[in-house]
Amino acid sequence: KNGDLIIHGDFTPLTKIDLCSKMVWSLDYLTHHSIEKDQYSYWVPFTFIPATINPGLDEKIGTSVRRFFDDGIMQVSVDGKILFKKSLIQILIDNELEYLIFGGNVAFNQYNPIHLNDIQPVLFDGKFFKKGDLFLSLRSLSMIILYRPSENKIIWFKQYPWALQHDVDILN
């Protein structure tokens, strides 16, 4: 309402600027893709550097470095405080789904096994989900997950018939 914007580029800090483009706050994380609002905060995908879980794939190639992508979910308050952050790979491990991390085409997924595109917060209770749950869109796994952060529990997940999807919307 006051003209403030919360923005980021591709793998850049999450930043809030005011109507005059002056920085209000900035979080030094590699954020990417969607910024979704729930009632009181924002959810944004980010990548841990260095990775919290790394299968030893980081390697130096000439003058560049190829890094393993450890995507995570982060909840940020309107005043720039981190309320929650967690690795998606750790969430899969905690829910005994680690076998999914390197599924599919190894060459495509090896360094980026998750590729989180969207975090859609659930704003109301429904028959199959609760307010506070999150729908997560994992491109590399062609998977949608319903995750309950309050319990660190994956409630539901499905792969296919979609492929490399990017966005989740709750219709009803």
Side-chain angles (χ1 to χ4, degrees):
K1 292 180 182 179
N2 66 1
D4 289 355
L5 292 174
I6 296 179
I7 58 173
H8 66 75
D10 193 23
F11 297 101
T12 63
L14 185 68
T15 303
K16 183 176 184 177
I17 59 174
D18 68 15
L19 186 61
C20 297
S21 297
K22 292 194 167 94
M23 186 172 65
V24 176
W25 53 257
S26 185
L27 298 176
D28 194 18
Y29 287 88
L30 299 177
T31 59
H32 52 88
H33 291 85
S34 67
I35 301 171
E36 300 288 347
K37 188 167 184 355
D38 63 18
Q39 286 89 352
Y40 308 107
S41 61
Y42 298 91
W43 288 92
V44 61
F46 76 105
T47 301
F48 285 95
I49 298 288
T52 59
I53 298 170
N54 188 323
L57 291 175
D58 288 356
E59 62 181 323
K60 191 162 177 78
I61 305 168
T63 58
S64 65
V65 176
R66 187 153 191 196
R67 298 207 181 272
F68 178 77
F69 283 74
D70 182 6
D71 282 345
I73 59 176
M74 183 167 30
Q75 182 185 24
V76 179
S77 70
V78 293
D79 59 350
K81 305 241 183 318
I82 296 172
L83 304 173
F84 181 91
K85 69 177 182 175
K86 190 155 182 96
S87 161
L88 274 173
I89 292 174
Q90 188 61 58
I91 290 170
L92 290 169
I93 291 169
D94 293 347
N95 284 270
E96 299 180 359
L97 295 171
E98 59 271 4
Y99 65 90
L100 295 170
I101 294 168
F102 295 103
N105 181 344
V106 174
F108 178 71
N109 291 331
Q110 186 173 11
Y111 288 90
N112 193 357
I114 301 291
H115 195 100
L116 175 63
N117 281 318
D118 187 35
I119 303 169
Q120 190 66 54
V122 175
L123 304 178
F124 54 89
D125 287 342
K127 185 175 178 183
F128 302 105
F129 46 77
K130 292 183 183 178
K131 182 178 177 180
D133 288 352
L134 302 171
F135 279 98
L136 309 173
S137 177
L138 312 182
R139 186 204 69 185
S140 292
L141 294 174
S142 296
M143 178 183 284
I144 305 295
I145 288 177
L146 176 59
Y147 174 64
R148 186 160 296 148
S150 63
E151 300 175 17
N152 190 35
K153 185 174 180 186
I154 293 176
I155 306 302
W156 172 89
F157 70 94
K158 178 145 177 64
Q159 288 180 289
Y160 311 107
W162 47 80
L164 306 177
Q165 80 292 333
H166 278 69
D167 189 21
V168 175
D169 292 316
I170 302 168
L171 301 179
N172 64 40

